[in-house]
Amino acid sequence: MLETHKLSGGWGPTLVNEDVSLRVASGETVAIIGRNGVGKSTLLELIVGRAQRRSGGIALDGNDITAQAVHQRSKSGLGYVPQGREVFPSLTVAEHLQVAARPGHWTQARVLELFPRLGERLGSHGNQLSGGEQQMLSIARALLGNPRALLMDEPFEGLAPIIVEHLVNSIRKIVQSGSIALLLVEQRVDIALDLSDRCIVMDRGRCVHEGVSATLARDETQLAALMGLGH
């Protein structure tokens, strides 16, 4: 469903990612893990079109989207839950959901069933929500675009354990509900491996390991060695 081929790029003159090739199938969750600053978030920004590509390509459902602008990639079926949530402070929850909606499986009723708390906060503005509520809204907004592939950048960052547990369960339901391909960047390695089918370890802007998440989770020695690359 989502594929990159030798994708390289970064910010301005700074090259962050080099020759990254990956695939995520429909209904599959792939986690990207690695130490801070190795290019995980920049890779997602390259795929959605917000960082500057130097070379390589991106395909979604077999269609080349490399030259598409950010909004065109969204219309093509690429959803994004950015780090920091990027909720509009002056829009209500209801307005966020209305402007994001496109026809498909995910309707407002379905996302409110997934996140009942948002149904209680429809009239509240973005800056009146807690961090957990903002993250729910960011995910709900992305789902209402009815993406074929969904990218999530550290969705559990800074949240209380009870909210993290709720979001983990919600993400499982999202993947189980249809044919969304999920690419997840997460600093909490235990959660990332538990949620995903496969994992990619990054170091210095490159993919240095790819394998079955459950297998890596059981091999603490290999996991520690991979997460310590570059020391």
Side-chain angles (χ1 to χ4, degrees):
M1 181 58 71
L2 176 65
E3 182 177 5
T4 70
H5 178 66
K6 294 187 176 180
L7 185 62
S8 299
W11 305 101
T14 304
L15 185 65
V16 178
N17 295 117
E18 293 186 73
D19 296 329
V20 177
S21 296
L22 60 82
R23 285 186 174 187
V24 190
S26 296
E28 183 183 32
T29 300
V30 174
I32 301 176
I33 61 175
R35 294 175 296 110
N36 284 329
V38 298
K40 304 184 301 294
S41 295
T42 300
L43 176 59
L44 297 194
E45 297 276 333
L46 279 170
I47 294 172
V48 297
R50 304 207 304 188
Q52 290 78 52
R53 182 186 65 89
R54 294 276 191 90
S55 60
I58 308 160
L60 182 63
D61 198 16
N63 299 311
D64 188 349
I65 63 169
T66 308
Q68 290 185 356
V70 175
H71 69 280
Q72 291 172 322
R73 297 183 197 202
S74 176
K75 288 181 179 179
S76 294
L78 196 59
Y80 188 38
V81 179
Q83 187 178 20
R85 299 146 198 163
E86 298 186 10
V87 167
F88 297 105
S90 62
L91 295 185
T92 66
V93 169
E95 289 168 339
H96 275 90
L97 300 181
Q98 288 165 4
V99 298
R102 293 197 186 100
H105 171 81
W106 287 104
T107 61
Q108 180 167 311
R110 281 199 169 101
V111 298
L112 294 182
E113 183 179 349
L114 188 67
F115 299 118
R117 181 61 179 156
L118 293 182
E120 303 169 7
R121 303 282 273 159
L122 286 174
S124 300
H125 291 88
N127 59 1
Q128 296 173 317
L129 304 179
S130 68
E133 290 167 343
Q134 287 185 353
Q135 191 60 272
M136 294 174 197
L137 179 56
S138 184
I139 295 171
R141 178 178 60 187
L143 288 176
L144 280 172
N146 278 286
R148 299 175 184 180
L150 181 61
L151 280 56
M152 290 188 175
D153 192 359
E154 301 205 22
F156 312 115
E157 184 181 28
L159 300 180
I162 190 170
I163 301 298
V164 170
E165 183 179 356
H166 174 63
L167 288 177
V168 166
N169 291 332
S170 298
I171 290 171
R172 291 192 198 280
K173 291 177 183 177
I174 291 167
V175 176
Q176 292 166 0
S177 69
S179 58
I180 286 181
L182 177 60
L183 185 60
L184 171 71
V185 163
E186 179 50 48
Q187 202 62 33
R188 296 273 300 274
V189 175
D190 56 335
I191 296 177
L193 295 179
D194 184 53
L195 266 176
S196 58
D197 304 296
R198 290 188 296 114
C199 67
I200 293 168
V201 182
M202 291 191 68
D203 188 62
R204 300 181 182 180
R206 294 177 177 268
C207 297
V208 295
H209 174 83
E210 181 175 347
V212 177
S213 296
T215 302
L216 185 59
R218 289 192 298 265
D219 192 339
E220 295 182 3
T221 301
Q222 184 186 26
L223 179 59
L226 287 168
M227 295 299 290
L229 283 171
H231 289 293

